[in-house]
Amino acid sequence: MTHRIFADFDPIRYEGPDSPNPLVYRYYDADRQVLGKSMKDHLRLAVAYWHSFAWPGHDIFGAGTFQRPWQPGQACSQELADLKLDNAFDFFERLGVPFFCFHDVDAMASADTPAEHRRSLAAIADRMQRKMEETRVGLLWGTANLFSHPRYAAGGATSPDPDIFAWAAFQVREMLETTHRLGGANYVLWGGREGYDTILNTDMRQELDQLGRFLSLAVEHKHKIGFTGQILIEPKPHEPAKHQYDRDTATVYGFLARYGLTDEVKVNIEANHATLAGNSFEHEIATAAALGIFGSVDINRGDPQNGWDTDQFPNDVPGLTLALIEILKAGGFTSGGFNFDAKVRRQSVDAEDLFHGHVGGIDVLARALLNAAAIIEDGRLRRFVEDRYAGWRGDFGRQALGRMSLAELADHALATNDADRRPPSGRQEYLENLINRFV
Ligand code: XUL
Ligand code: CO
């Protein structure tokens, strides 16, 4: 088996919608201008190291199916970690994406002790930094894995054991500093085990205070080391825990408000996590934008039948068009981007399959972006919504939201005596038809 499994693939080029070739972009044309910005700068695409290079293709019933020369899923030597890294950068370059994302343990050689962990992470960061300089591929975000090791079975920040809280602090310090060193644009905290399996053994007040303290400490350290990237929390309602404290964007906002962190922390919204929480993906984006905490996106999809986090590549252009409308309305990404937190299926065992997954996902995002931009340029949707709220911009509307008391509002209702007052049509079907003309 060759050691560089992506080396024989040609770089993926834009060939337009009519190309017969499977491994080309039909819609993603990196430098094409859309609403005054290149597609590349709109989408800020990233590959997730873990699903593409560290996951061996196992599931809870079966072993890994992927035969990769760097042997994912097994104890990893420095030599194999280096080989994995070289392959990962071969892949990023051929795909032509500007970013990647990784957890500490995805990339480094295995380590047992904290001192070894430090050495392994520093060793891979050295090589990563050189590769990043050579290839001009940047780091969208770094994160520490506080959920795989058995020590985190009861959580990291929310562990009942303060020594495990300290272990979590150690991994976050190392990875925050590594992300800073690599010029990362963001740092993510996803709390897969920051929650509970049963309320019977859980002191929720205690655990929330621990999580609040932990996050404040991460923010404090970020400032201490001069890291100017954005700290992001990634909401998810459950899986692996029965309940996770960061269940969705609105819940995270409440948590940030309680611990005084709304100016410091934003959210990394994952499409499949949104649907697991019973929300639509566009709802999560709109909520984050309305609350001023929209940061970044983990793009993937679930399966409507089975209800868990299948992390499939996105393929729903009309659905994603709605999400892209919300992102464009919010002003687009600043530090964030679209990270493919998505994996090929367990039977998709070839190197080629990783290209098919990403190329398809990128083209779906590009089409959704083009559709959303056309809807925004058309202006009818925006004007409809503006007109719907026009009353609030009039004299009475401004006063109602401003200086009027409840009693004054009540007197206004008495005086106008308008028993037949009704809202105008919401025109939902018209609006749905309007959107369908663009997708
Ligand atoms: C898990 C998940 C993670 C985070 C990073 O569901 O989405 O991969 O994105 O820890
Ligand atoms: Co994710």
Tab-separated table of all heavy atoms in Angstrom, residues 407-434:
chain	number	residue	atom	x	y	z
A	407	ALA	N	-49.866	50.658	31.900
A	407	ALA	CA	-51.155	51.343	32.070
A	407	ALA	C	-51.448	52.229	30.856
A	407	ALA	O	-52.592	52.287	30.373
A	407	ALA	CB	-51.124	52.173	33.352
A	408	GLU	N	-50.424	52.910	30.335
A	408	GLU	CA	-50.645	53.764	29.161
A	408	GLU	C	-51.021	52.923	27.933
A	408	GLU	O	-51.869	53.312	27.138
A	408	GLU	CB	-49.395	54.608	28.873
A	408	GLU	CG	-49.247	55.760	29.860
A	408	GLU	CD	-47.881	56.422	29.797
A	408	GLU	OE1	-46.902	55.756	29.422
A	408	GLU	OE2	-47.806	57.616	30.147
A	409	LEU	N	-50.381	51.775	27.817
A	409	LEU	CA	-50.737	50.888	26.698
A	409	LEU	C	-52.177	50.399	26.853
A	409	LEU	O	-52.944	50.356	25.881
A	409	LEU	CB	-49.779	49.691	26.657
A	409	LEU	CG	-48.397	50.005	26.087
A	409	LEU	CD1	-47.405	48.896	26.435
A	409	LEU	CD2	-48.457	50.188	24.569
A	410	ALA	N	-52.539	50.066	28.073
A	410	ALA	CA	-53.907	49.593	28.332
A	410	ALA	C	-54.898	50.701	27.992
A	410	ALA	O	-55.929	50.457	27.332
A	410	ALA	CB	-54.035	49.176	29.794
A	411	ASP	N	-54.598	51.928	28.380
A	411	ASP	CA	-55.497	53.058	28.080
A	411	ASP	C	-55.593	53.290	26.570
A	411	ASP	O	-56.649	53.640	26.051
A	411	ASP	CB	-55.011	54.326	28.798
A	411	ASP	CG	-55.235	54.218	30.305
A	411	ASP	OD1	-56.040	53.342	30.724
A	411	ASP	OD2	-54.587	54.971	31.066
A	412	HIS	N	-54.490	53.085	25.894
A	412	HIS	CA	-54.497	53.228	24.435
A	412	HIS	C	-55.482	52.225	23.816
A	412	HIS	O	-56.281	52.579	22.935
A	412	HIS	CB	-53.080	52.991	23.900
A	412	HIS	CG	-52.993	52.934	22.404
A	412	HIS	ND1	-52.720	54.037	21.626
A	412	HIS	CD2	-53.154	51.897	21.525
A	412	HIS	CE1	-52.720	53.688	20.345
A	412	HIS	NE2	-52.971	52.389	20.258
A	413	ALA	N	-55.422	50.967	24.307
A	413	ALA	CA	-56.337	49.942	23.772
A	413	ALA	C	-57.788	50.321	24.059
A	413	ALA	O	-58.666	50.187	23.183
A	413	ALA	CB	-56.013	48.581	24.385
A	414	LEU	N	-58.041	50.838	25.266
A	414	LEU	CA	-59.406	51.270	25.616
A	414	LEU	C	-59.867	52.389	24.690
A	414	LEU	O	-60.989	52.367	24.166
A	414	LEU	CB	-59.423	51.792	27.061
A	414	LEU	CG	-59.734	50.776	28.162
A	414	LEU	CD1	-59.582	51.459	29.525
A	414	LEU	CD2	-61.143	50.214	27.992
A	415	ALA	N	-58.977	53.366	24.499
A	415	ALA	CA	-59.351	54.549	23.720
A	415	ALA	C	-59.559	54.213	22.247
A	415	ALA	O	-60.495	54.699	21.619
A	415	ALA	CB	-58.262	55.633	23.873
A	416	THR	N	-58.693	53.344	21.672
A	416	THR	CA	-58.855	53.031	20.238
A	416	THR	C	-60.047	52.108	20.010
A	416	THR	O	-60.638	52.106	18.927
A	416	THR	CB	-57.576	52.403	19.627
A	416	THR	OG1	-57.104	51.412	20.526
A	416	THR	CG2	-56.505	53.421	19.383
A	417	ASN	N	-60.381	51.308	21.007
A	417	ASN	CA	-61.609	50.517	20.983
A	417	ASN	C	-61.758	49.747	19.667
A	417	ASN	O	-62.823	49.759	19.050
A	417	ASN	CB	-62.811	51.475	21.188
A	417	ASN	CG	-64.099	50.688	21.454
A	417	ASN	OD1	-64.024	49.545	21.935
A	417	ASN	ND2	-65.232	51.263	21.105
A	418	ASP	N	-60.671	49.143	19.226
A	418	ASP	CA	-60.653	48.514	17.897
A	418	ASP	C	-60.809	47.007	18.045
A	418	ASP	O	-59.853	46.236	17.916
A	418	ASP	CB	-59.318	48.880	17.205
A	418	ASP	CG	-59.320	48.490	15.746
A	418	ASP	OD1	-60.311	47.880	15.286
A	418	ASP	OD2	-58.329	48.791	15.067
A	419	ALA	N	-62.027	46.538	18.283
A	419	ALA	CA	-62.270	45.119	18.567
A	419	ALA	C	-62.005	44.239	17.355
A	419	ALA	O	-61.771	43.035	17.489
A	419	ALA	CB	-63.702	44.935	19.051
A	420	ASP	N	-62.028	44.824	16.155
A	420	ASP	CA	-61.838	44.021	14.936
A	420	ASP	C	-60.389	43.957	14.489
A	420	ASP	O	-60.090	43.435	13.419
A	420	ASP	CB	-62.679	44.597	13.786
A	420	ASP	CG	-64.161	44.437	14.084
A	420	ASP	OD1	-64.505	43.460	14.790
A	420	ASP	OD2	-64.940	45.294	13.645
A	421	ARG	N	-59.518	44.511	15.299
A	421	ARG	CA	-58.101	44.538	14.905
A	421	ARG	C	-57.578	43.109	14.691
A	421	ARG	O	-57.758	42.233	15.557
A	421	ARG	CB	-57.314	45.201	16.048
A	421	ARG	CG	-55.911	45.585	15.685
A	421	ARG	CD	-55.894	46.915	14.995
A	421	ARG	NE	-54.532	47.301	14.655
A	421	ARG	CZ	-54.226	48.426	14.045
A	421	ARG	NH1	-55.186	49.295	13.727
A	421	ARG	NH2	-52.981	48.708	13.760
A	422	ARG	N	-56.947	42.836	13.523
A	422	ARG	CA	-56.357	41.529	13.223
A	422	ARG	C	-55.015	41.759	12.538
A	422	ARG	O	-54.862	42.764	11.840
A	422	ARG	CB	-57.233	40.724	12.238
A	422	ARG	CG	-58.644	40.451	12.703
A	422	ARG	CD	-58.713	39.329	13.731
A	422	ARG	NE	-60.089	39.002	14.054
A	422	ARG	CZ	-60.830	39.639	14.978
A	422	ARG	NH1	-60.311	40.637	15.664
A	422	ARG	NH2	-62.074	39.283	15.199
A	423	PRO	N	-54.066	40.826	12.686
A	423	PRO	CA	-52.826	40.984	11.906
A	423	PRO	C	-53.114	40.719	10.434
A	423	PRO	O	-54.017	39.952	10.112
A	423	PRO	CB	-51.906	39.893	12.472
A	423	PRO	CG	-52.808	38.886	13.083
A	423	PRO	CD	-54.067	39.603	13.513
A	424	PRO	N	-52.338	41.347	9.540
A	424	PRO	CA	-52.521	41.052	8.111
A	424	PRO	C	-52.044	39.636	7.814
A	424	PRO	O	-51.374	39.020	8.644
A	424	PRO	CB	-51.621	42.083	7.425
A	424	PRO	CG	-50.579	42.405	8.440
A	424	PRO	CD	-51.235	42.266	9.786
A	425	SER	N	-52.357	39.146	6.618
A	425	SER	CA	-51.945	37.781	6.248
A	425	SER	C	-50.433	37.613	6.402
A	425	SER	O	-49.660	38.492	6.007
A	425	SER	CB	-52.334	37.489	4.796
A	425	SER	OG	-51.712	36.276	4.404
A	426	GLY	N	-50.036	36.483	6.941
A	426	GLY	CA	-48.602	36.173	7.036
A	426	GLY	C	-48.035	35.674	5.720
A	426	GLY	O	-46.819	35.595	5.572
A	427	ARG	N	-48.931	35.360	4.764
A	427	ARG	CA	-48.516	34.989	3.402
A	427	ARG	C	-47.481	33.867	3.356
A	427	ARG	O	-46.579	33.885	2.523
A	427	ARG	CB	-47.927	36.208	2.662
A	427	ARG	CG	-48.878	37.321	2.382
A	427	ARG	CD	-49.514	37.211	0.985
A	427	ARG	NE	-50.293	38.390	0.704
A	427	ARG	CZ	-51.544	38.585	1.138
A	427	ARG	NH1	-52.152	37.650	1.844
A	427	ARG	NH2	-52.186	39.696	0.836
A	428	GLN	N	-47.629	32.893	4.245
A	428	GLN	CA	-46.613	31.836	4.292
A	428	GLN	C	-46.483	31.086	2.962
A	428	GLN	O	-45.370	30.830	2.491
A	428	GLN	CB	-46.917	30.855	5.435
A	428	GLN	CG	-45.871	29.757	5.531
A	428	GLN	CD	-45.958	28.951	6.804
A	428	GLN	OE1	-46.512	29.423	7.793
A	428	GLN	NE2	-45.423	27.753	6.787
A	429	GLU	N	-47.621	30.743	2.358
A	429	GLU	CA	-47.561	29.954	1.118
A	429	GLU	C	-46.923	30.771	-0.001
A	429	GLU	O	-46.110	30.259	-0.773
A	429	GLU	CB	-48.964	29.470	0.711
A	429	GLU	CG	-49.588	28.504	1.716
A	429	GLU	CD	-50.074	29.163	3.001
A	429	GLU	OE1	-50.216	30.419	3.029
A	429	GLU	OE2	-50.308	28.438	3.992
A	430	TYR	N	-47.294	32.065	-0.065
A	430	TYR	CA	-46.671	32.937	-1.069
A	430	TYR	C	-45.150	32.962	-0.868
A	430	TYR	O	-44.381	32.840	-1.830
A	430	TYR	CB	-47.262	34.352	-0.954
A	430	TYR	CG	-46.363	35.433	-1.522
A	430	TYR	CD1	-46.255	35.602	-2.904
A	430	TYR	CD2	-45.612	36.256	-0.683
A	430	TYR	CE1	-45.405	36.580	-3.434
A	430	TYR	CE2	-44.774	37.228	-1.200
A	430	TYR	CZ	-44.663	37.382	-2.580
A	430	TYR	OH	-43.824	38.327	-3.090
A	431	LEU	N	-44.721	33.089	0.395
A	431	LEU	CA	-43.279	33.187	0.663
A	431	LEU	C	-42.572	31.875	0.338
A	431	LEU	O	-41.472	31.868	-0.222
A	431	LEU	CB	-43.030	33.585	2.124
A	431	LEU	CG	-43.493	34.999	2.481
A	431	LEU	CD1	-43.426	35.228	3.980
A	431	LEU	CD2	-42.673	36.065	1.741
A	432	GLU	N	-43.211	30.767	0.674
A	432	GLU	CA	-42.605	29.466	0.345
A	432	GLU	C	-42.491	29.301	-1.176
A	432	GLU	O	-41.469	28.811	-1.684
A	432	GLU	CB	-43.426	28.328	0.963
A	432	GLU	CG	-43.229	28.255	2.474
A	432	GLU	CD	-44.222	27.359	3.213
A	432	GLU	OE1	-45.190	26.873	2.588
A	432	GLU	OE2	-44.028	27.171	4.419
A	433	ASN	N	-43.515	29.740	-1.880
A	433	ASN	CA	-43.459	29.651	-3.351
A	433	ASN	C	-42.364	30.557	-3.907
A	433	ASN	O	-41.662	30.208	-4.857
A	433	ASN	CB	-44.805	30.047	-3.968
A	433	ASN	CG	-45.914	29.086	-3.569
A	433	ASN	OD1	-45.647	28.016	-3.028
A	433	ASN	ND2	-47.157	29.478	-3.815
A	434	LEU	N	-42.241	31.730	-3.283
A	434	LEU	CA	-41.204	32.676	-3.722
A	434	LEU	C	-39.823	32.025	-3.585
A	434	LEU	O	-39.004	32.050	-4.508
A	434	LEU	CB	-41.296	33.953	-2.872
A	434	LEU	CG	-40.246	35.029	-3.120
A	434	LEU	CD1	-40.381	35.611	-4.524
A	434	LEU	CD2	-40.361	36.165	-2.087
